[in-house]
Amino acid sequence: MSQMSAWALKYRGATVEDLDPPPALSTKSTEPISHALMNAFERDYTHLTVVSEDTRALLGYLNIPRLKEMLKNGTVRETDYVEQAMQKFQRSGKIYKVITMDTPLEELEAFFIGGVPGSSSNDFAVVTDGNRRFVLGVATKADLEEFVKRRPA
C-alpha cells in the first residue's frame, strides 16, 4: 500500500475546503518578475497563478522555486515580465480536472499522483468555482500532507 493510499484512510469525507487553502494570489503576465517574487515571498507561496491583464483569464502559473533557478541561471531577470518565466496552461488537446472547494480529497490525491485520465502527476491544483470562472485558491501536495498529519486517527 503506497503512502498516498494510506492517507486516504484519514480523509473520511473531507473536501478541498477542509484544507482551508489560502486565497489565490494571482499576478498579471505583464508585471515585472520582481513584483511577483515579492508577493510570493511575503505570503510564503510556492506557486502563483498568472492572469491576463485585460480579461483576468487564467493563463498559467509561476513555480517560485523554478523561477529562482531561472534567475540564478540568468534565463530571466527580475526586470523581465512574468510572461517570460511563467508556465502556460495548454488550452488545446488537454483535458483539465476541475478542482473546486467541494472536490473530495481522494480526487485531489489522484490528481496529484497522476491518477486522473489524461494527466501526469501535479505539484499543485488551482481551486476554482464549478464554472472555472474564478480562481479561489491553490492547493499543494504539502497541504494534503499537513491535513493528514493534523487529522486524528
Side-chain angles (χ1 to χ4, degrees):
M1 179 184 263
S2 74
Q3 181 176 0
M4 291 298 275
S5 59
W7 289 356
L9 300 173
K10 290 193 172 188
Y11 297 152
R12 296 192 301 267
T15 64
V16 170
E17 186 172 17
D18 294 309
L19 295 178
D20 195 25
L25 177 63
S26 296
T27 187
K28 295 180 181 95
S29 60
T30 54
E31 288 183 350
I33 288 172
S34 60
H35 186 254
L37 264 178
M38 185 174 25
N39 284 333
F41 178 75
E42 287 174 351
R43 292 165 181 83
D44 198 27
Y45 283 10
T46 57
H47 294 82
L48 296 181
T49 53
V50 179
V51 296
S52 163
E53 186 167 15
D54 301 329
T55 64
R56 303 279 304 155
L58 191 59
L59 301 175
Y61 65 96
L62 276 177
N63 177 321
I64 300 304
R66 178 180 172 268
L67 177 59
K68 288 179 181 177
E69 278 298 312
M70 291 174 75
L71 287 164
K72 183 178 170 185
N73 296 337
T75 310
V76 295
R77 297 182 316 260
E78 287 192 17
T79 54
D80 290 339
Y81 293 120
V82 165
E83 65 189 350
Q84 293 173 264
M86 73 181 203
Q87 293 174 270
K88 296 177 182 164
F89 290 125
Q90 299 192 350
R91 301 277 182 213
S92 60
K94 183 151 181 167
I95 299 170
Y96 282 96
K97 168 75 176 146
V98 177
I99 305 289
T100 69
M101 289 293 193
D102 296 326
T103 299
L105 293 184
E106 293 85 354
E107 287 183 31
L108 181 63
E109 177 186 328
F111 175 77
F112 286 148
I113 61 173
V116 175
S119 77
S120 55
S121 64
N122 298 282
D123 294 328
F124 75 103
V126 176
V127 182
T128 67
D129 65 302
N131 295 324
R132 299 189 317 183
R133 297 190 71 197
F134 303 103
V135 176
L136 303 176
V138 172
T140 66
K141 286 181 184 179
D143 295 333
L144 194 58
E145 185 176 349
E146 195 57 39
F147 176 82
V148 169
K149 286 179 183 175
R150 289 191 327 256
R151 189 88 170 194

